[in-house]
Amino acid sequence: MDSTPHNIIIIGAGIAGLASGLALRRELAPFVPDLVITIYERHDILSTSGGAINLTPVAQRHLAQLGVLDELDRMGPEAGAEVDAIELYSMRSGRSIGSIDFVDQDGNGFGGFKGRRVMRIALSLAMLTVVEKTPNVNVVFGKKVVGGEDRERKAVVHFQDGSEAIGDLVIGCDGVFSAVRRFLDPESPSEYTGLSFLQTTVPSKTISSQIHFRSSAMNLSRHGSILTSYCDQNEEQIFVSAIVQFSHDNLGNHKLEPHNQDRATQNRIRTALRQIMQERFSKSSIPCLREIVASKADWMLYPVYQVRPGGRWYKNRVILLGDAAHAMPPRDESAAYALDDAILFARLLARYRSEPLSEVFDAYESLRRDKINQAFKESGRMWDRNRDKGVLESRLSTLFMPFYLRSHREEREAAWVYDAAKSTLPTPAPSDDLVSLHSFLKEHTV
């Protein structure tokens, strides 16, 4: 009996949700003529928060397979800046301490793809444009999830406006604060990491000092780090993101976030954030960083949350993908993990289309759980370097960084060629009927 879902509900129109819609349509449409995929997003429009994100060669490869990269490239300068490497600098000395390369030693991308820094909203718009052109996939905005249930072998999602959606499968792609996860696994809440982003964009023409990086740099200090990166093709805008240790007490009721505040409160918040930047980074030995920190840039605060490993990813007809399942402190591969999830799950659902959903879910977890757990550990180690350190600890960390980068170069380069669309998948176990048939044919074949 065909158990392939015909009506699929996706909660969340972020990277994971939109990619899941595209990947599922590509994999299932040849087998399910009446396929319907509906993506429900709680906001009335695409979210503009999050600043710029890094796309690794893996992320770009997967976006190309989903038809998104061509759409992104059509956006012109807003398509983002090509990144050959993220250069690392010491803010204390101003010296280079290595790089994370997205090209090989001959300057070529991995499988034709390098890195790219792009504003999240530009990527989201490109993905939405492709989704809107794709048959069988629809996006509905303004739908906040408030509950769900099983009803007559169907999954039912309840929305705040009183409406409901009924489907064969629900995929929670609604991020670190996932409403789907709250109902599926209330024992796995999101938690504050103790670190936050302070982000802004600065017109490059306003910087009078020499810009010390080619396309992107991570600048390290004992009080956190500052990422500086062009985020447009014409290199007219520099995306700046400080990663700092920040007491949770200061985040109570989002006191330092100027959203939905009156103008006087917004001004006080902006002044406070500028002061934080100046206290931490004004003594940098890199002139353009000192200039950025001293500027009147409007900094936005983004506390970083995570979901600890070990939580439940699925139950009955519901599964979590992306940050809803395994949010971790962001690293170079963050967007790629969401795309990996979408492509791998879609391929498994097509391969196991005659099997119960429980077997699809088990196969997916066996394929992803260990890799995600390892990524979480590595992400935690990387982010710990941004916590406040003493002078000696900071200097030792800087001293050993070049060795760390060299010793892990081959591992990184191997990761950049990964292709979720071609990776080996587990095979469904044969049913008892097939095993019996195989045994019969074997016994009666001369």
Side-chain angles (χ1 to χ4, degrees):
M1 182 178 71
D2 180 15
S3 59
T4 309
H6 290 231
N7 189 340
I8 300 175
I9 296 169
I10 298 173
I11 305 299
I15 294 174
L18 295 172
S20 293
L22 294 172
L24 287 165
R25 195 273 170 185
R26 182 178 67 177
E27 297 294 337
L28 294 181
F31 310 108
V32 187
D34 58 342
L35 179 67
V36 176
I37 302 170
T38 308
I39 304 170
Y40 293 96
E41 167 58 40
R42 70 184 183 93
H43 294 102
D44 293 328
I45 58 174
L46 282 177
S47 174
T48 60
S49 65
I53 59 175
N54 182 60
L55 300 178
T56 63
V58 178
Q60 295 217 78
R61 180 176 301 110
H62 293 162
L63 289 170
Q65 292 166 356
L66 296 176
V68 174
L69 206 59
D70 286 342
E71 187 64 40
L72 186 61
D73 287 338
R74 280 193 281 271
M75 298 177 74
E78 302 304 317
E82 185 176 82
V83 177
D84 285 355
I86 300 176
E87 304 165 78
L88 274 65
Y89 289 88
S90 165
M91 277 195 267
R92 182 186 65 83
S93 66
R95 295 176 181 173
S96 170
I97 53 177
S99 63
I100 298 172
D101 300 317
F102 301 119
V103 296
D104 61 23
Q105 295 182 0
D106 296 322
N108 300 314
F110 293 94
F113 297 99
K114 300 181 180 180
R116 182 189 304 223
R117 180 72 59 176
V118 61
M119 297 303 291
R120 181 180 289 272
I121 184 59
L123 175 60
S124 295
L125 287 172
M127 296 186 77
L128 180 61
T129 299
V130 175
V131 166
E132 290 175 338
K133 296 176 182 177
T134 303
N136 311 96
V137 186
N138 300 293
V139 182
V140 182
F141 290 95
K143 292 291 185 178
K144 183 177 180 180
V145 175
V146 295
E149 61 180 304
D150 286 328
R151 186 192 301 166
E152 298 176 357
R153 298 184 180 180
K154 297 287 185 179
V156 182
V157 179
H158 300 293
F159 299 108
Q160 190 177 51
D161 61 7
S163 63
E164 64 180 25
I166 303 174
D168 306 307
L169 167 66
V170 174
I171 306 175
C173 297
D174 47 342
V176 65
F177 301 113
S178 171
V180 179
R181 188 181 67 251
R182 285 202 303 272
F183 298 109
L184 188 150
D185 185 12
E187 301 302 315
S188 294
S190 58
E191 60 181 22
Y192 179 51
T193 61
L195 294 162
S196 293
F197 287 122
L198 285 168
Q199 297 181 348
T200 192
T201 53
V202 177
S204 53
K205 67 180 181 181
T206 65
I207 306 299
S208 59
S209 307
Q210 181 180 357
I211 294 175
H212 64 295
F213 57 89
R214 294 189 298 275
S215 58
S216 187
M218 182 65 78
N219 310 280
L220 311 178
S221 85
R222 57 179 289 226
H223 299 300
S225 304
I226 297 181
L227 171 75
T228 48
S229 181
Y230 293 116
C231 56
D232 65 305
Q233 287 182 351
N234 296 334
E235 300 184 348
E236 294 176 348
Q237 296 287 327
I238 300 174
F239 173 69
V240 186
S241 180
I243 309 169
V244 298
Q245 186 172 342
F246 203 77
S247 170
H248 197 286
D249 293 339
N250 294 329
L251 299 176
N253 299 319
H254 303 286
K255 291 177 182 176
L256 291 181
E257 293 192 40
H259 308 297
N260 302 318
Q261 305 277 6
D262 60 63
R263 182 166 297 181
T265 303
Q266 289 180 18
N267 289 334
R268 286 197 298 272
I269 292 171
R270 291 186 177 112
T271 299
L273 295 179
R274 290 187 194 116
Q275 184 177 352
I276 291 171
M277 290 297 297
Q278 290 166 10
E279 289 173 351
R280 289 176 173 270
F281 304 115
S282 62
K283 296 181 181 179
S284 170
S285 294
I286 302 173
C288 75
L289 289 183
R290 292 200 305 271
E291 193 172 344
I292 290 171
V293 169
S295 72
K296 296 295 184 181
D298 286 337
W299 298 91
M300 297 294 293
L301 177 71
Y302 295 96
V304 178
Y305 289 81
Q306 65 184 15
V307 178
R308 288 189 180 273
R312 180 192 290 271
W313 284 1
Y314 57 85
K315 183 179 180 181
N316 299 332
R317 295 180 176 274
V318 182
I319 188 168
L320 303 173
L321 301 183
D323 280 352
H326 49 69
M328 64 188 77
R331 50 188 299 211
D332 296 331
E333 295 91 342
S334 294
Y337 288 143
L339 295 165
D340 292 352
D341 284 2
I343 292 171
L344 288 170
F345 180 73
R347 291 180 62 206
L348 280 169
L349 192 58
R351 173 168 284 198
Y352 283 68
R353 59 186 178 274
S354 298
E355 308 298 327
L357 280 176
S358 59
E359 292 197 22
V360 184
F361 295 166
D362 287 344
Y364 174 78
E365 181 167 24
S366 70
L367 194 65
R368 294 294 283 165
R369 179 72 77 168
D370 288 346
K371 183 172 184 177
I372 291 300
N373 287 349
Q374 182 59 39
F376 191 97
K377 292 178 183 178
E378 179 60 30
S379 179
R381 286 194 291 266
M382 184 191 78
W383 270 67
D384 280 343
R385 300 188 186 109
N386 294 291
R387 299 187 188 278
D388 291 338
K389 297 183 286 290
V391 174
L392 179 59
E393 182 185 4
S394 176
R395 294 191 179 184
L396 286 174
S397 177
T398 301
L399 180 65
F400 284 104
M401 183 60 71
F403 170 77
Y404 174 84
L405 293 171
R406 287 195 300 271
S407 63
H408 287 74
R409 182 183 179 100
E410 290 186 4
E411 178 184 334
R412 289 194 302 273
E413 291 185 353
W416 300 151
V417 300
Y418 175 71
D419 189 342
K422 296 179 181 178
S423 61
T424 303
L425 299 179
T427 301
S431 66
D432 292 341
D433 289 343
L434 288 176
V435 170
S436 298
L437 177 61
H438 177 75
S439 299
F440 175 82
L441 291 175
K442 185 176 181 180
E443 291 174 2
H444 293 79
T445 300
V446 178

